[in-house]
Amino acid sequence: MAKEKLNFEDAQIRSNYRHTTSHILAEAVKNIWPDAKLAIGPSIENGFYYDFDMEHKLSDQDLLKIMKEMKKITQANHKLERFELPREEAIKFMADRNEDYKVELINDLPEGEIISFYQQGDFVDLCAGPHMDSTGQIKAFKLMSVAGAYWRGDEHNKMLQRIYGTSFPTQEELDAYIAKLEEAKKRDHRKIGKEMDLFAIFEEGPGFPFFMPKGMVIRNELENFWREEHKKRGYDEIKTPLILNEQLWKTSGHWDHYKDNMYFTKIDDQDYAIKPMNCPGSMLAYKRKMYSYRDFPMRMGELGQVHRHELSGALHGLMRVRTFTQDDAHIFMLPEQITDEIIGVVNFIDDVYKMFGFKYHIELSTRPDDSMGTDEEWNMAESALKTAIEQVGAEYVVNEGDGAFYGPKLDFHLEDSIGRTWQCGTIQLDMQMPQRFDLTYIGSDNEKHRPIMIHRVIFGSIERFIGILTEHFAGKFPLWLAPVQVKLLTVAETFSDYAKEVAEKCEEAGLRVELDIRNEKIGYKLREARNERVSYIGIIGEREVEAKALSVRSSKVGELGELSVDDFVAKLVEEIKTKAL
RNA sequence: GCUUCCGUGGCUCAGUUGGUAGAGCAGUGCAUUCGUAACGCACAGGUCGUCGGUUCAAUCCCGUCCGGAAGCUCCA
């Protein structure tokens, strides 16, 4: 092949490159442990993996060994050659090599499918391709980790050993990628959360986070913001209990569909459940009285704390917990109001995410196999979501069959600093709850009718959203959210009185200010304040006292020089008011 | 829950090829009044996640449980 430069921007080429690397990995493993059985080894988002079934337990030491072997294979520069076999021969070919998993894969290929193999040196793998031309084209690679993975992703199957790795056309690009991972690690909300003393999780309650004073500031600011925005948009707020009797959950259907994730308790010998979702409570709230069609649309919001028994292995800082607060809302409406209401929510979510500078994408999930309800209902609901999103002009991808059993949904996925996406916002049309709880309203015809209902969240979970914000801003929160907006540092104790005056002015203006008048060197105090990621550090010494000013340093922009106290306060107040990023 | 790895003072970590642990930061006291990322000295602080086993002896070996990390599965 000619020595033209590889276009690594091209997803297909990138995938081929990494897929070929995974074959080299497989060959290396087979060279070292001939009894290893091959499962599958695709390219993935940022690299590739290969699954093996083998006696030897792989360790990090082994990864180095395997990489050496891979190096040999790339240096040997074997050609990758494709060939095809008829089904029977293909099965025999793999069976002769004891590749049970490959045989299973071939057996599952649809009738008439071409069965192709790729060979490099003595190594052959069942593979649809395509691939690079030769192993020598793989210039820079690294094996990242070993992990368990179920055969075919099914937890009832055998656990295989999966090796993750990545590869790039040059060592520089590989190094850059690894540097990026390290940067992401530095932003890990669990690390920053500890450093800034935002929250803590103890052994006594895995998955049950504590919010410490500084984390509470962020949380309260978010909730205040949430309340303001909902008030503007015509929502009412309610609060429903954490514990309600078991019958409610049978009525709602959660008993059948969600029981394994719920916590239970007994009160006076009666069975109760701790809510994993807010909807059933809201249904009771709705049913407390009669409604007219004139009452709609009716928007009921709730910052509802839910508890769910998540698998211990799934817990992850604030991102995945066992209790969290959903910024929930249920909207009850007439059929002809659906499109407008959904547009309202889509715009609402867009407004909020933009405020934080988030990129996001929308997914529309349609009717799953085990759904409830009629075709008419589903068609109506799906087209309502589609119409709304198209009228707004937003892009979206469709997830066929990925909706909830009670209705289709729009999911909003935020992208965090590492490029991971988190589902936060969601809009779900629910066609089951209103029926199960027999919700009604009186129409203009003086007859009872069934209202349409949607559930929706914007942050998704306050806890997770704080985790995402922490990583997104690397702890340098926008001023309106920052736990400490101003920290005043004195150069020496003689300036304490003036510093206190300045602090008082800040407080009067509503700023969250801390004062460091300790008898320490300025460099020491400054270092501490910077580590705390304080938004603005004001330094006060002789010059500042005389000028009625302070020397200001911003965590985002750096040195701002000397500002008068009034200008400084006014600047910050404005920044908070506009919720500037 | 499963696979692999991990669990030493508040934090970050060192250490013991088995004979009851050490540093820096933080804390306290003293000294310093010193202009932009860590002044110095001293003191105090852990029985090495839990329970059990092996051993004359375990923090270091084995097992159990609890917790954590990565991945799988699941999901806000």
Side-chain angles (χ1 to χ4, degrees):
Chain A
M1 189 178 165
K3 274 200 83 178
E4 52 195 70
K5 195 168 174 338
L6 212 54
N7 180 13
F8 213 62
E9 294 299 303
D10 185 303
Q12 184 59 50
I13 291 174
R14 205 163 58 229
S15 165
N16 295 350
Y17 192 87
R18 280 155 176 177
H19 192 174
T20 298
T21 320
S22 91
H23 276 220
I24 295 170
L25 163 61
E27 179 180 354
V29 169
K30 291 283 288 189
N31 288 350
I32 302 172
W33 297 279
D35 71 314
K37 289 182 183 182
L38 304 174
I40 53 169
S43 74
I44 52 175
E45 174 97 22
N46 288 310
F48 60 87
Y49 67 79
Y50 212 110
D51 288 345
F52 303 94
D53 182 6
M54 55 197 284
E55 284 300 313
H56 177 79
K57 296 276 177 225
L58 291 166
S59 68
D60 289 347
Q61 283 301 312
D62 291 327
L63 291 185
L64 295 173
K65 197 161 138 193
I66 298 168
M67 280 196 271
K68 271 191 189 151
E69 185 66 23
M70 289 172 71
K71 193 81 203 163
K72 280 190 211 159
I73 297 168
T74 57
Q75 280 164 353
N77 198 15
H78 297 300
K79 288 244 172 309
L80 275 98
E81 282 166 308
R82 181 189 158 101
F83 63 90
E84 295 172 7
L85 289 176
R87 182 173 293 255
E88 291 311 316
E89 283 178 49
I91 291 174
K92 184 169 184 316
F93 185 68
M94 279 289 125
D96 287 347
R97 292 170 175 247
N98 269 324
E99 298 290 2
D100 310 344
Y101 296 95
K102 297 295 181 186
V103 171
E104 186 177 330
L105 288 172
I106 297 172
N107 274 322
D108 286 354
L109 285 174
E111 203 58 44
E113 183 92 359
I114 292 171
I115 300 170
S116 64
F117 293 85
Y118 277 81
Q119 174 150 19
Q120 64 205 42
D122 295 330
F123 175 82
V124 186
D125 195 1
L126 170 73
C127 183
H131 274 283
M132 307 303 287
D133 299 327
S134 68
T135 59
Q137 286 172 286
I138 307 303
K139 298 298 185 193
F141 59 85
K142 182 175 167 66
L143 300 182
M144 312 298 285
S145 60
V146 190
Y150 302 105
W151 167 237
R152 302 200 144 176
D154 185 332
E155 61 180 316
H156 303 296
N157 286 340
K158 182 164 184 183
M159 173 80 69
L160 308 173
Q161 299 193 68
R162 173 173 297 179
I163 298 176
Y164 282 92
T166 191
S167 58
F168 287 88
T170 63
Q171 188 63 39
E172 291 71 46
E173 285 164 277
L174 176 60
D175 291 344
Y177 173 71
I178 292 168
K180 196 182 127 194
L181 287 184
E182 267 152 30
E183 168 61 25
K185 244 189 193 167
K186 280 187 211 153
R187 288 172 173 248
D188 191 313
H189 76 285
R190 292 166 299 184
K191 179 172 143 61
I192 293 179
K194 191 183 270 181
E195 286 170 3
M196 294 180 71
D197 203 19
L198 303 179
F199 69 94
I201 302 172
F202 305 104
E203 263 191 41
E204 288 80 353
F208 299 112
F210 285 52
F211 276 78
M212 304 328 292
K214 289 185 175 158
M216 222 33 222
V217 168
I218 298 174
R219 192 178 172 123
N220 284 332
E221 286 295 343
L222 282 176
E223 292 187 2
N224 292 343
F225 168 69
W226 187 89
R227 291 201 165 92
E228 279 168 31
E229 294 301 314
H230 281 73
K231 205 168 171 186
K232 275 189 214 164
R233 291 173 174 82
Y235 284 76
D236 292 318
E237 185 178 355
I238 61 168
K239 179 73 107 189
T240 67
L242 262 58
I243 300 177
L244 292 162
N245 84 9
E246 213 172 82
Q247 183 50 47
L248 176 75
W249 305 99
K250 289 181 174 157
T251 304
S252 70
H254 287 92
W255 188 262
D256 294 331
H257 292 272
Y258 214 73
K259 196 170 56 173
D260 294 344
N261 277 323
M262 290 170 66
Y263 297 113
F264 299 95
T265 188
K266 269 190 192 290
I267 299 176
D268 292 341
D269 268 344
Q270 301 275 351
D271 294 318
Y272 280 75
I274 299 169
K275 69 175 174 181
M277 295 183 191
N278 302 302
C279 340
S282 287
M283 295 305 101
L284 297 183
Y286 179 96
K287 277 175 74 77
R288 77 193 187 284
K289 61 176 191 175
M290 294 285 279
Y291 296 94
S292 151
Y293 67 97
R294 293 194 186 91
D295 294 324
F296 292 163
M298 190 173 68
R299 312 185 184 100
M300 285 200 317
E302 170 173 21
L303 291 170
Q305 185 179 6
V306 296
H307 289 73
R308 299 181 181 178
H309 181 105
E310 300 297 346
L311 295 179
S312 61
L315 302 178
H316 180 91
L318 291 180
M319 303 297 203
R320 200 69 200 287
V321 292
R322 284 180 173 154
T323 182
F324 57 100
T325 304
Q326 293 183 306
D327 60 319
D328 220 336
H330 296 94
I331 304 178
F332 303 90
M333 69 201 101
L334 308 172
E336 58 267 33
Q337 293 169 330
I338 298 179
T339 306
D340 281 348
E341 279 308 305
I342 293 171
I343 288 175
V345 179
V346 171
N347 284 331
F348 192 174
I349 293 177
D350 183 66
D351 288 347
V352 172
Y353 289 1
K354 269 192 189 143
M355 265 213 32
F356 296 100
F358 276 124
K359 280 193 286 189
Y360 70 93
H361 73 271
I362 307 176
E363 295 182 8
L364 168 65
S365 297
T366 59
R367 185 172 191 176
D369 293 335
D370 64 340
S371 58
M372 305 178 73
T374 65
D375 287 346
E376 290 77 25
E377 288 172 325
W378 275 89
N379 290 340
M380 182 276 288
E382 284 175 11
S383 76
L385 288 175
K386 227 178 264 181
T387 308
I389 198 166
E390 276 160 11
Q391 277 193 30
V392 174
E395 302 265 321
Y396 67 97
V397 294
V398 178
N399 277 339
E400 292 293 350
D402 215 25
F405 68 93
Y406 49 75
K409 56 179 185 166
L410 289 176
D411 290 327
F412 294 70
H413 297 254
L414 285 187
E415 196 177 315
D416 73 12
S417 60
I418 322 176
R420 283 180 304 194
T421 57
W422 295 98
Q423 188 199 314
C424 290
T426 162
I427 306 175
Q428 307 185 354
L429 256 159
D430 190 327
M431 303 175 302
Q432 290 306 313
M433 255 349 134
Q435 273 183 39
R436 285 171 167 266
F437 283 89
D438 190 30
L439 303 189
T440 57
Y441 67 90
I442 307 297
S444 57
D445 56 1
N446 202 27
E447 297 289 324
K448 277 190 177 179
H449 297 276
R450 180 91 61 222
I452 304 282
M453 184 185 88
I454 62 177
H455 332 230
R456 46 106 285 194
V457 290
I458 295 176
F459 296 145
S461 140
I462 305 274
E463 289 77 3
R464 171 186 286 181
F465 202 76
I466 290 172
I468 294 169
L469 287 176
T470 304
E471 300 196 354
H472 186 59
F473 295 115
K476 295 175 184 174
F477 293 95
L479 194 61
W480 68 282
L481 284 175
V484 182
Q485 295 167 322
V486 184
K487 189 158 181 177
L488 300 172
L489 315 182
T490 48
V491 174
E493 278 182 335
T494 40
F495 313 118
S496 295
D497 288 342
Y498 175 71
K500 283 179 192 163
E501 271 177 46
V502 176
E504 223 163 278
K505 281 195 180 171
C506 289
E507 265 171 11
E508 279 167 20
L511 298 174
R512 292 186 285 269
V513 56
E514 281 184 0
L515 195 53
D516 186 354
I517 54 174
R518 286 177 306 170
N519 178 18
E520 296 287 352
K521 286 183 77 172
I522 191 68
Y524 176 79
K525 297 201 234 184
L526 184 76
R527 176 171 192 275
E528 206 171 86
R530 289 180 64 153
N531 285 339
E532 287 162 13
R533 287 166 243 245
V534 167
S535 303
Y536 286 96
I537 298 172
I539 292 178
I540 291 168
E542 198 173 350
R543 288 201 303 270
E544 289 79 12
V545 173
E546 277 168 18
K548 293 278 167 211
L550 65 172
S551 292
V552 182
R553 144 169 261 293
S554 138
S555 65
K556 282 168 218 142
V557 201
E559 294 300 337
L560 295 180
E562 209 170 282
L563 290 182
S564 79
V565 176
D566 290 341
D567 287 352
F568 173 71
V569 171
K571 172 183 157 59
L572 268 61
V573 167
E574 178 65 15
E575 188 175 334
I576 290 168
K577 206 175 114 195
T578 58
K579 293 192 165 59
L581 286 179

